Coordinates of all heavy atoms in Angstrom, one line a residue:
M54 N 2.7 -8.2 -1.3 CA 2.8 -7.2 -0.4 C 4.3 -6.9 -0.2 O 4.7 -5.7 -0.1 CB 2.3 -7.6 1.0 CG 0.9 -7.7 1.2 SD 0.0 -6.2 0.8 CE -0.8 -6.7 -0.8
T55 N 5.1 -7.9 -0.2 CA 6.6 -7.6 -0.1 C 7.1 -6.7 -1.4 O 7.7 -5.8 -1.2 CB 7.4 -9.0 -0.1 OG1 7.0 -9.7 1.0 CG2 8.9 -8.7 0.0
A56 N 6.6 -7.1 -2.5 CA 7.0 -6.3 -3.7 C 6.4 -4.9 -3.7 O 7.0 -3.9 -4.0 CB 6.5 -7.0 -5.0
L57 N 5.2 -4.8 -3.2 CA 4.5 -3.4 -3.1 C 5.3 -2.5 -2.1 O 5.7 -1.4 -2.4 CB 3.2 -3.5 -2.7 CG 2.4 -2.2 -2.3 CD1 2.3 -1.3 -3.6 CD2 1.0 -2.5 -1.7
V58 N 5.6 -3.1 -0.9 CA 6.4 -2.3 0.1 C 7.8 -2.0 -0.4 O 8.3 -0.8 -0.1 CB 6.4 -3.1 1.4 CG1 7.4 -2.5 2.5 CG2 5.0 -3.2 2.0
A59 N 8.4 -2.9 -1.1 CA 9.7 -2.6 -1.7 C 9.7 -1.5 -2.7 O 10.5 -0.6 -2.8 CB 10.4 -3.9 -2.2
F60 N 8.7 -1.6 -3.6 CA 8.5 -0.6 -4.6 C 8.3 0.8 -3.9 O 9.0 1.8 -4.3 CB 7.3 -0.9 -5.5 CG 6.9 0.2 -6.5 CD1 7.6 0.4 -7.6 CD2 5.8 1.0 -6.2 CE1 7.2 1.4 -8.6 CE2 5.5 2.0 -7.0 CZ 6.2 2.2 -8.2
L61 N 7.4 0.9 -3.0 CA 7.1 2.2 -2.3 C 8.3 2.7 -1.6 O 8.6 3.9 -1.6 CB 5.8 2.1 -1.5 CG 4.6 1.9 -2.3 CD1 3.4 1.8 -1.3 CD2 4.2 3.1 -3.3
G62 N 9.0 1.7 -0.9 CA 10.1 2.1 -0.1 C 11.3 2.6 -0.8 O 12.0 3.5 -0.4
S63 N 11.4 2.2 -2.1 CA 12.5 2.7 -2.9 C 12.0 4.0 -3.7 O 12.9 4.6 -4.4 CB 12.9 1.6 -4.0 OG 11.9 1.3 -4.8
R64 N 10.8 4.3 -3.6 CA 10.3 5.5 -4.3 C 9.5 6.3 -3.3 O 8.2 6.6 -3.6 CB 9.5 5.1 -5.5 CG 10.4 4.4 -6.6 CD 9.4 3.7 -7.6 NE 10.1 3.0 -8.5 CZ 10.7 1.7 -8.4 NH1 10.4 1.1 -7.2 NH2 11.4 1.2 -9.3
P65 N 9.9 6.8 -2.2 CA 9.1 7.5 -1.3 C 8.5 8.8 -1.9 O 7.4 9.3 -1.5 CB 10.1 7.8 -0.1 CG 11.4 7.7 -0.6 CD 11.4 6.7 -1.7
G66 N 9.1 9.3 -2.9 CA 8.6 10.4 -3.6 C 7.2 10.1 -4.2 O 6.3 11.0 -4.4
V67 N 7.0 8.9 -4.7 CA 5.7 8.4 -5.2 C 4.7 8.6 -4.2 O 3.5 9.0 -4.5 CB 5.8 7.0 -5.8 CG1 4.4 6.4 -6.1 CG2 6.7 6.9 -7.0
C68 N 5.0 8.2 -2.9 CA 4.0 8.2 -1.8 C 3.7 9.8 -1.6 O 2.5 10.1 -1.6 CB 4.7 7.7 -0.6 SG 5.2 6.0 -0.6
A69 N 4.7 10.5 -1.6 CA 4.4 12.0 -1.3 C 3.7 12.6 -2.5 O 2.7 13.4 -2.3 CB 5.8 12.8 -1.2
G70 N 4.0 12.2 -3.7 CA 3.2 12.7 -4.9 C 1.7 12.3 -4.9 O 0.9 13.2 -5.1
L71 N 1.5 11.0 -4.7 CA 0.1 10.6 -4.7 C -0.7 11.2 -3.5 O -1.8 11.7 -3.8 CB 0.1 9.1 -4.4 CG 0.4 8.2 -5.6 CD1 0.5 6.8 -5.2 CD2 -0.8 8.4 -6.6
L72 N -0.1 11.4 -2.4 CA -0.9 12.0 -1.3 C -1.1 13.6 -1.6 O -2.2 14.2 -1.3 CB -0.2 11.8 0.1 CG -0.1 10.4 0.5 CD1 0.8 10.2 1.7 CD2 -1.5 10.0 0.9
A73 N -0.1 14.2 -2.1 CA -0.1 15.6 -2.4 C -1.2 15.9 -3.5 O -2.0 16.9 -3.5 CB 1.2 16.2 -2.8
F74 N -1.0 15.2 -4.7 CA -1.9 15.4 -5.8 C -3.4 14.9 -5.5 O -4.3 15.5 -6.1 CB -1.4 14.6 -7.0 CG -0.2 15.3 -7.6 CD1 1.1 14.6 -7.6 CD2 -0.3 16.7 -8.1 CE1 2.1 15.3 -8.2 CE2 0.8 17.2 -8.7 CZ 2.0 16.6 -8.7
A75 N -3.5 14.1 -4.5 CA -4.9 13.6 -4.2 C -5.7 14.8 -3.7 O -7.0 14.8 -3.9 CB -4.9 12.5 -3.2
G76 N -5.1 15.7 -3.1 CA -5.8 16.9 -2.5 C -5.9 18.0 -3.5 O -6.5 19.1 -3.2
A77 N -5.3 18.0 -4.6 CA -5.4 19.1 -5.6 C -6.7 19.2 -6.2 O -7.4 18.3 -6.6 CB -4.3 18.8 -6.7
A78 N -7.1 20.4 -6.3 CA -8.5 20.7 -6.7 C -8.7 20.3 -8.2 O -7.9 20.5 -9.0 CB -8.8 22.2 -6.7
G79 N -9.7 19.6 -8.3 CA -10.1 19.1 -9.7 C -9.3 17.9 -10.2 O -9.4 17.4 -11.2
Q80 N -8.3 17.3 -9.4 CA -7.5 16.3 -9.9 C -7.6 15.0 -9.2 O -7.1 13.9 -9.6 CB -5.9 16.7 -9.6 CG -5.5 18.0 -10.4 CD -5.7 17.8 -11.9 OE1 -5.2 16.7 -12.4 NE2 -6.3 18.7 -12.5
L81 N -8.6 15.0 -8.3 CA -8.7 13.7 -7.4 C -9.1 12.5 -8.2 O -8.4 11.4 -8.1 CB -9.7 14.0 -6.3 CG -9.9 12.8 -5.3 CD1 -8.6 12.4 -4.6 CD2 -10.9 13.0 -4.3
R82 N -10.0 12.7 -9.1 CA -10.5 11.6 -9.9 C -9.4 11.1 -10.8 O -9.3 9.8 -10.9 CB -11.7 12.0 -10.8 CG -12.3 10.8 -11.5 CD -13.7 11.2 -12.0 NE -14.5 11.4 -10.8 CZ -15.7 11.6 -10.8 NH1 -16.4 11.7 -11.9 NH2 -16.4 11.8 -9.6
S83 N -8.6 11.9 -11.5 CA -7.6 11.3 -12.4 C -6.4 10.7 -11.6 O -5.9 9.7 -12.0 CB -7.1 12.4 -13.3 OG -6.5 13.4 -12.6
V84 N -6.1 11.3 -10.4 CA -5.0 10.6 -9.6 C -5.5 9.3 -9.1 O -4.7 8.3 -9.0 CB -4.6 11.7 -8.4 CG1 -3.7 11.1 -7.4 CG2 -4.0 13.0 -9.0
M85 N -6.7 9.3 -8.5 CA -7.2 8.0 -8.0 C -7.3 6.9 -9.1 O -7.0 5.8 -8.8 CB -8.6 8.2 -7.3 CG -8.5 9.1 -6.1 SD -7.5 8.2 -4.7 CE -6.1 9.3 -4.7
A86 N -7.7 7.3 -10.2 CA -7.8 6.4 -11.4 C -6.4 5.8 -11.7 O -6.3 4.6 -11.9 CB -8.4 7.0 -12.7
A87 N -5.3 6.6 -11.8 CA -4.1 6.1 -12.0 C -3.5 5.3 -10.9 O -2.9 4.2 -11.1 CB -3.1 7.3 -12.2
K88 N -3.8 5.7 -9.7 CA -3.4 4.8 -8.5 C -4.1 3.5 -8.6 O -3.5 2.5 -8.4 CB -3.7 5.6 -7.2 CG -3.3 4.9 -5.9 CD -4.5 4.2 -5.3 CE -5.7 5.0 -5.2 NZ -6.9 4.0 -5.0
D89 N -5.5 3.6 -8.9 CA -6.1 2.3 -8.9 C -5.6 1.3 -10.0 O -5.4 0.2 -9.7 CB -7.6 2.6 -9.2 CG -8.4 3.1 -8.0 OD1 -7.8 3.0 -6.9 OD2 -9.5 3.7 -8.2
A90 N -5.3 1.9 -11.1 CA -4.9 1.0 -12.2 C -3.5 0.4 -12.0 O -3.2 -0.8 -12.2 CB -4.9 1.9 -13.6
A91 N -2.6 1.2 -11.4 CA -1.2 0.8 -11.2 C -1.0 0.0 -9.9 O -0.2 -0.9 -9.9 CB -0.3 2.0 -11.3
L92 N -1.8 0.4 -8.9 CA -1.5 -0.2 -7.5 C -2.7 -0.9 -6.9 O -2.6 -2.0 -6.4 CB -1.0 0.8 -6.6 CG 0.3 1.5 -7.1 CD1 0.6 2.7 -6.2 CD2 1.5 0.6 -7.1
A93 N -3.8 -0.2 -6.8 CA -4.8 -0.8 -6.1 C -5.6 -2.0 -6.8 O -6.0 -3.0 -6.0 CB -6.0 0.3 -5.8
A94 N -5.7 -2.0 -8.0 CA -6.4 -3.1 -8.8 C -5.6 -4.4 -8.5 O -6.3 -5.4 -8.2 CB -6.6 -2.7 -10.2
P95 N -4.4 -4.4 -8.7 CA -3.7 -5.8 -8.5 C -3.8 -6.2 -7.1 O -3.9 -7.4 -6.9 CB -2.2 -5.5 -8.9 CG -2.3 -4.2 -9.8 CD -3.5 -3.4 -9.3
V96 N -3.7 -5.3 -6.1 CA -3.8 -5.7 -4.8 C -5.3 -6.2 -4.4 O -5.4 -7.3 -3.8 CB -3.5 -4.6 -3.8 CG1 -3.8 -4.8 -2.3 CG2 -2.0 -4.2 -3.8
A97 N -6.2 -5.6 -5.0 CA -7.7 -6.0 -4.9 C -7.9 -7.3 -5.4 O -8.6 -8.2 -4.9 CB -8.6 -5.0 -5.5
D98 N -7.3 -7.6 -6.6 CA -7.3 -8.8 -7.3 C -6.8 -10.0 -6.3 O -7.4 -11.1 -6.2 CB -6.8 -8.9 -8.6 CG -7.3 -8.1 -9.6 OD1 -8.5 -7.9 -9.4 OD2 -6.8 -7.8 -10.6
I99 N -5.6 -9.7 -5.7 CA -5.1 -10.8 -4.9 C -5.9 -11.0 -3.7 O -6.1 -12.1 -3.2 CB -3.6 -10.3 -4.4 CG1 -2.6 -10.2 -5.5 CG2 -3.1 -11.0 -3.2 CD1 -1.3 -9.5 -5.4
L100 N -6.5 -9.9 -3.1 CA -7.3 -10.0 -2.0 C -8.6 -10.8 -2.3 O -9.0 -11.7 -1.5 CB -7.7 -8.6 -1.4 CG -6.6 -7.8 -0.7 CD1 -7.0 -6.4 -0.4 CD2 -6.1 -8.5 0.5
R101 N -9.2 -10.5 -3.5 CA -10.4 -11.2 -3.9 C -10.1 -12.6 -4.0 O -10.9 -13.5 -3.5 CB -10.8 -10.6 -5.2 CG -12.2 -11.0 -5.7 CD -12.7 -10.3 -6.9 NE -12.9 -8.8 -6.7 CZ -12.0 -7.8 -7.1 NH1 -10.9 -8.1 -7.7 NH2 -12.3 -6.6 -6.7
E102 N -9.0 -13.1 -4.6 CA -8.7 -14.4 -4.7 C -8.4 -15.1 -3.3 O -8.9 -16.2 -3.1 CB -7.4 -14.6 -5.6 CG -7.7 -14.3 -7.0 CD -6.4 -14.4 -7.9 OE1 -5.4 -15.1 -7.5 OE2 -6.4 -13.8 -9.0
G103 N -7.7 -14.4 -2.4 CA -7.5 -14.9 -1.1 C -8.7 -15.1 -0.2 O -8.9 -16.0 0.5
I104 N -9.7 -14.1 -0.4 CA -11.0 -14.2 0.3 C -11.8 -15.4 -0.2 O -12.3 -16.2 0.6 CB -11.8 -12.9 0.0 CG1 -11.1 -11.8 0.8 CG2 -13.3 -13.0 0.5 CD1 -11.7 -10.4 0.4
Q105 N -11.8 -15.6 -1.5 CA -12.5 -16.8 -2.1 C -11.9 -18.1 -1.7 O -12.6 -19.1 -1.4 CB -12.5 -16.7 -3.7 CG -13.4 -15.5 -4.1 CD -13.3 -15.4 -5.7 OE1 -12.4 -15.9 -6.3 NE2 -14.1 -14.5 -6.2
A106 N -10.5 -18.0 -1.4 CA -9.8 -19.3 -1.0 C -10.0 -19.4 0.5 O -9.4 -20.4 1.1 CB -8.5 -19.3 -1.5
G107 N -10.5 -18.5 1.3 CA -10.6 -18.5 2.7 C -9.3 -18.2 3.4 O -9.1 -18.4 4.6
Q108 N -8.3 -17.6 2.7 CA -7.1 -17.2 3.2 C -7.0 -15.8 3.9 O -6.2 -15.5 4.7 CB -5.9 -17.3 2.2 CG -5.8 -18.7 1.6 CD -5.4 -19.7 2.7 OE1 -4.5 -19.5 3.5 NE2 -6.1 -20.8 2.7
F109 N -7.9 -15.0 3.3 CA -8.0 -13.6 3.8 C -9.4 -13.2 4.3 O -10.4 -13.8 3.8 CB -7.6 -12.6 2.7 CG -6.2 -12.7 2.2 CD1 -5.9 -12.5 0.9 CD2 -5.2 -12.8 3.1 CE1 -4.6 -12.6 0.4 CE2 -3.9 -12.9 2.6 CZ -3.6 -12.8 1.3
S110 N -9.5 -12.3 5.2 CA -10.8 -11.7 5.6 C -10.6 -10.3 5.5 O -10.0 -9.6 6.3 CB -11.0 -12.1 7.0 OG -12.2 -11.5 7.5
A111 N -11.1 -9.7 4.4 CA -10.8 -8.2 4.1 C -12.0 -7.4 3.8 O -11.7 -6.2 3.3 CB -9.8 -8.2 3.0
G112 N -13.2 -7.8 3.9 CA -14.3 -7.0 3.5 C -14.3 -6.8 2.0 O -14.0 -7.7 1.2
E113 N -14.6 -5.6 1.5 CA -14.7 -5.3 0.1 C -13.2 -5.2 -0.3 O -12.5 -4.4 0.1 CB -15.5 -4.0 -0.1 CG -16.1 -3.8 -1.6 CD -14.9 -3.5 -2.4 OE1 -14.1 -2.5 -2.2 OE2 -14.8 -4.1 -3.5
P114 N -12.9 -6.0 -1.4 CA -11.5 -5.9 -1.7 C -10.8 -4.6 -2.1 O -9.8 -4.2 -1.9 CB -11.4 -7.0 -2.9 CG -12.5 -7.8 -2.6 CD -13.6 -7.0 -2.0
G115 N -11.7 -3.8 -2.9 CA -11.2 -2.6 -3.3 C -10.9 -1.6 -2.2 O -9.9 -0.8 -2.1
D116 N -11.8 -1.5 -1.2 CA -11.6 -0.7 0.0 C -10.4 -1.2 0.8 O -9.6 -0.4 1.4 CB -12.9 -0.8 0.9 CG -14.0 -0.1 0.3 OD1 -13.8 0.8 -0.7 OD2 -15.2 -0.4 0.6
A117 N -10.3 -2.5 1.0 CA -9.1 -3.1 1.7 C -7.8 -2.8 1.0 O -6.8 -2.5 1.6 CB -9.3 -4.6 1.8
A118 N -7.8 -2.9 -0.4 CA -6.6 -2.5 -1.2 C -6.2 -1.1 -0.9 O -5.1 -0.8 -0.7 CB -6.8 -2.8 -2.6
N119 N -7.2 -0.2 -0.9 CA -6.9 1.3 -0.6 C -6.4 1.4 0.8 O -5.5 2.2 1.0 CB -8.1 2.1 -0.9 CG -8.3 2.4 -2.4 OD1 -7.3 2.6 -3.1 ND2 -9.5 2.3 -2.8
A120 N -6.9 0.8 1.7 CA -6.5 0.8 3.2 C -4.9 0.2 3.2 O -4.2 0.9 4.0 CB -7.3 0.0 4.1
I121 N -4.7 -0.8 2.5 CA -3.3 -1.3 2.5 C -2.4 -0.3 1.9 O -1.3 -0.1 2.4 CB -3.3 -2.7 1.7 CG1 -3.9 -3.7 2.6 CG2 -1.9 -3.1 1.4 CD1 -4.2 -5.0 2.0
L122 N -2.8 0.3 0.7 CA -1.9 1.3 0.1 C -1.7 2.5 1.0 O -0.6 3.0 1.1 CB -2.5 1.7 -1.2 CG -2.4 0.7 -2.3 CD1 -3.3 1.1 -3.6 CD2 -1.0 0.4 -2.7
G123 N -2.8 2.9 1.6 CA -2.6 4.1 2.6 C -1.7 3.8 3.6 O -0.8 4.7 4.0
A124 N -1.8 2.6 4.2 CA -0.9 2.2 5.3 C 0.6 2.2 4.8 O 1.5 2.7 5.5 CB -1.3 0.9 6.0
A125 N 0.8 1.5 3.7 CA 2.1 1.4 3.2 C 2.7 2.8 2.8 O 3.9 3.1 3.1 CB 2.2 0.5 1.9
M126 N 1.9 3.6 2.2 CA 2.4 5.0 1.8 C 2.7 5.8 3.0 O 3.8 6.5 3.1 CB 1.4 5.7 0.9 CG 1.4 5.1 -0.5 SD 0.5 6.1 -1.7 CE -1.1 6.1 -1.0
I127 N 1.9 5.8 4.0 CA 2.0 6.7 5.2 C 3.3 6.2 6.0 O 4.1 7.0 6.3 CB 0.8 6.8 6.1 CG1 -0.3 7.5 5.3 CG2 1.1 7.4 7.3 CD1 -0.1 9.0 5.0
A128 N 3.4 5.0 6.1 CA 4.5 4.5 6.9 C 5.9 4.7 6.2 O 6.8 5.1 6.8 CB 4.3 2.9 7.1
T129 N 5.9 4.5 4.9 CA 7.1 4.8 4.1 C 7.4 6.3 4.1 O 8.6 6.6 4.3 CB 6.9 4.3 2.6 OG1 6.6 2.8 2.7 CG2 8.1 4.6 1.8
L130 N 6.4 7.1 3.9 CA 6.7 8.5 3.9 C 7.1 9.0 5.2 O 8.0 9.9 5.2 CB 5.3 9.2 3.4 CG 5.5 10.8 3.1 CD1 6.5 11.0 2.1 CD2 4.1 11.3 2.6
A131 N 6.5 8.7 6.2 CA 7.0 9.1 7.6 C 8.3 8.7 7.9 O 9.1 9.4 8.5 CB 6.0 8.4 8.6
R132 N 8.8 7.4 7.5 CA 10.1 7.0 7.7 C 11.1 7.8 7.0 O 12.1 8.3 7.4 CB 10.2 5.5 7.4 CG 11.6 4.9 7.8 CD 11.5 3.4 7.5 NE 12.8 2.8 7.9 CZ 13.1 2.4 9.1 NH1 12.2 2.5 10.1 NH2 14.2 1.9 9.4
W133 N 10.7 8.0 5.7 CA 11.6 8.8 4.8 C 11.7 10.3 5.4 O 12.8 10.9 5.3 CB 11.0 8.8 3.4 CG 11.7 9.6 2.3 CD1 13.0 9.4 1.9 CD2 11.3 10.6 1.5 NE1 13.3 10.2 0.9 CE2 12.2 11.0 0.6 CE3 9.9 11.3 1.5 CZ2 12.0 12.0 -0.3 CZ3 9.7 12.3 0.5 CH2 10.8 12.6 -0.3
D134 N 10.7 10.8 5.8 CA 10.6 12.2 6.4 C 11.5 12.3 7.6 O 12.1 13.5 7.8 CB 9.2 12.6 6.6 CG 9.1 14.1 7.1 OD1 9.5 14.9 6.3 OD2 8.7 14.2 8.2
R135 N 11.6 11.3 8.3 CA 12.4 11.3 9.6 C 13.9 11.1 9.1 O 14.8 11.1 10.1 CB 12.0 10.2 10.5 CG 10.7 10.4 11.2 CD 10.4 9.4 12.3 NE 10.6 8.0 12.0 CZ 9.7 7.2 11.6 NH1 8.5 7.7 11.4 NH2 10.0 6.0 11.2
G136 N 14.2 10.9 7.9 CA 15.5 10.7 7.5 C 16.0 9.3 7.7 O 17.3 9.0 7.6
E137 N 15.1 8.4 7.9 CA 15.4 7.0 8.1 C 15.3 6.2 6.7 O 14.6 6.7 5.8 CB 14.6 6.4 9.1 CG 14.7 7.0 10.5 CD 13.7 6.4 11.5 OE1 13.1 5.4 11.3 OE2 13.6 7.1 12.6
D138 N 16.0 5.1 6.6 CA 16.0 4.3 5.4 C 14.7 3.6 5.1 O 14.4 2.6 5.8 CB 17.2 3.4 5.4 CG 17.4 2.7 4.2 OD1 16.8 2.9 3.1 OD2 18.3 1.7 4.3
S139 N 14.0 4.1 4.1 CA 12.7 3.3 3.7 C 13.0 2.1 2.9 O 12.0 1.3 2.6 CB 11.7 4.3 3.1 OG 12.3 4.8 1.8
T140 N 14.2 1.8 2.5 CA 14.6 0.7 1.8 C 15.2 -0.4 2.7 O 15.6 -1.5 2.3 CB 15.6 0.9 0.6 OG1 16.8 1.3 1.2 CG2 15.1 1.9 -0.3
S141 N 15.2 -0.1 4.1 CA 15.8 -1.1 5.0 C 14.9 -2.4 5.0 O 13.8 -2.4 5.1 CB 15.7 -0.5 6.5 OG 15.7 -1.5 7.4
P142 N 15.6 -3.6 4.8 CA 15.0 -4.8 4.7 C 14.1 -5.1 6.1 O 13.0 -5.6 6.0 CB 16.0 -5.9 4.5 CG 17.2 -5.1 3.8 CD 17.1 -3.6 4.4
A143 N 14.6 -4.7 7.2 CA 14.0 -5.0 8.5 C 12.7 -4.1 8.5 O 11.6 -4.6 8.9 CB 14.9 -4.5 9.6
F144 N 12.7 -2.8 8.0 CA 11.5 -2.0 8.0 C 10.5 -2.6 7.0 O 9.3 -2.7 7.4 CB 12.0 -0.6 7.5 CG 10.7 0.3 7.1 CD1 9.8 0.7 8.0 CD2 10.5 0.6 5.8 CE1 8.6 1.3 7.6 CE2 9.5 1.2 5.4 CZ 8.4 1.7 6.3
Q145 N 11.0 -3.0 5.9 CA 10.0 -3.4 4.8 C 9.4 -4.8 5.2 O 8.2 -5.0 5.0 CB 10.8 -3.6 3.4 CG 11.1 -2.2 2.9 CD 11.8 -2.4 1.5 OE1 12.1 -3.4 1.0 NE2 11.9 -1.2 0.9
Q146 N 10.2 -5.6 5.9 CA 9.6 -6.9 6.4 C 8.6 -6.7 7.5 O 7.5 -7.3 7.5 CB 10.7 -7.9 6.9 CG 10.2 -9.2 7.2 CD 9.5 -9.8 6.0 OE1 10.2 -10.1 4.9 NE2 8.2 -10.3 6.1
A147 N 8.9 -5.8 8.4 CA 7.9 -5.4 9.5 C 6.7 -4.8 8.9 O 5.6 -5.2 9.4 CB 8.6 -4.5 10.5
L148 N 6.8 -3.9 8.0 CA 5.6 -3.4 7.4 C 4.8 -4.4 6.6 O 3.6 -4.4 6.8 CB 6.0 -2.2 6.4 CG 4.9 -1.4 5.8 CD1 3.9 -0.8 6.8 CD2 5.5 -0.2 4.9
T149 N 5.5 -5.3 5.9 CA 4.7 -6.3 5.1 C 4.0 -7.2 6.0 O 2.9 -7.6 5.9 CB 5.8 -7.1 4.3 OG1 6.4 -6.2 3.4 CG2 5.1 -8.3 3.5
D150 N 4.7 -7.6 7.1 CA 4.0 -8.5 8.2 C 2.8 -7.8 8.7 O 1.8 -8.5 8.9 CB 5.0 -8.8 9.3 CG 6.2 -9.8 8.8 OD1 6.1 -10.3 7.7 OD2 7.2 -9.9 9.6
Q151 N 2.9 -6.6 9.1 CA 1.8 -5.9 9.7 C 0.6 -5.7 8.7 O -0.6 -6.1 9.1 CB 2.2 -4.3 10.0 CG 1.1 -3.5 10.7 CD 0.7 -4.2 12.0 OE1 1.5 -4.5 12.9 NE2 -0.6 -4.3 12.2
I152 N 1.0 -5.5 7.4 CA -0.1 -5.4 6.4 C -0.8 -6.8 6.2 O -2.1 -6.9 6.2 CB 0.4 -4.9 5.1 CG1 0.7 -3.4 5.2 CG2 -0.6 -5.2 3.9 CD1 1.5 -2.8 4.1
V153 N -0.1 -7.8 6.1 CA -0.6 -9.2 5.9 C -1.4 -9.6 7.1 O -2.6 -10.1 6.9 CB 0.5 -10.2 5.7 CG1 0.0 -11.6 5.7 CG2 1.2 -9.9 4.3
R154 N -0.9 -9.3 8.3 CA -1.8 -9.6 9.6 C -3.1 -8.9 9.5 O -4.1 -9.4 10.0 CB -1.0 -9.2 10.8 CG 0.0 -10.2 11.2 CD 0.5 -9.9 12.7 NE 1.0 -8.6 12.9 CZ 2.3 -8.2 12.8 NH1 3.2 -9.0 12.3 NH2 2.6 -7.0 13.0
S155 N -3.1 -7.7 8.9 CA -4.5 -7.0 8.8 C -5.5 -7.7 8.0 O -6.7 -7.3 8.1 CB -4.2 -5.5 8.3 OG -4.0 -5.5 6.9
V156 N -5.2 -8.5 7.2 CA -6.2 -9.2 6.3 C -6.3 -10.7 6.6 O -7.1 -11.4 6.0 CB -5.9 -9.1 4.7 CG1 -6.1 -7.5 4.5 CG2 -4.5 -9.6 4.4
L157 N -5.6 -11.2 7.6 CA -5.8 -12.6 7.9 C -7.1 -12.8 8.7 O -7.4 -12.0 9.5 CB -4.5 -13.1 8.8 CG -3.2 -13.1 8.2 CD1 -2.2 -13.5 9.1 CD2 -3.2 -14.1 7.0
P158 N -7.7 -14.0 8.5 CA -8.9 -14.3 9.3 C -8.6 -14.3 10.8 O -7.5 -14.8 11.2 CB -9.3 -15.6 8.8 CG -8.5 -15.9 7.5 CD -7.3 -15.1 7.6
T159 N -9.6 -13.9 11.5 CA -9.4 -14.0 13.0 C -9.9 -15.3 13.5 O -10.6 -16.0 13.0 CB -10.2 -12.8 13.7 OG1 -11.6 -13.0 13.3 CG2 -9.6 -11.5 13.4

């Protein structure tokens, strides 16, 4: 999660691009496939392993991975849009902590 948040934080334009292109007519499937291959599939794999080990409680790993990516992208993009530093270690740690808490067993 730390690496994902750092990657997106240093590239807020990627967040904007993924969100913008996702709504483009006729492009959703190809955009989602690229996002899945590069970002969601590795997160889903981590979640799947964590669920099997009893470390995470996340429902269907693919859906949870997309929820995590959405949260990370929106938080990063909103911070960047406000003119705040999306590479701030404090911001990235807080976002990482929030994301991890979302998949911990209750």
Side-chain angles (χ1 to χ4, degrees):
M54 287 307 109
T55 302
L57 173 67
V58 168
F60 172 81
L61 293 173
S63 66
R64 296 166 184 82
V67 169
C68 300
L71 281 170
L72 294 169
F74 286 116
Q80 298 299 316
L81 182 60
R82 185 163 296 183
S83 62
V84 170
M85 291 296 111
K88 181 264 313 159
D89 286 344
L92 298 170
V96 172
D98 290 343
I99 291 167
L100 291 170
R101 193 172 291 106
E102 290 176 22
I104 291 166
Q105 290 174 351
Q108 299 298 310
F109 295 141
S110 174
E113 200 287 311
D116 292 339
N119 281 320
I121 286 169
L122 288 172
M126 287 191 302
I127 294 296
T129 298
L130 188 56
R132 187 171 181 88
W133 180 60
D134 185 59
R135 292 189 308 264
E137 297 174 16
D138 185 7
S139 60
T140 65
S141 159
F144 163 71
Q145 290 184 354
Q146 187 61 57
L148 181 55
T149 298
D150 291 347
Q151 182 64 48
I152 289 169
V153 170
R154 280 193 306 270
S155 75
V156 295
L157 291 177
T159 54

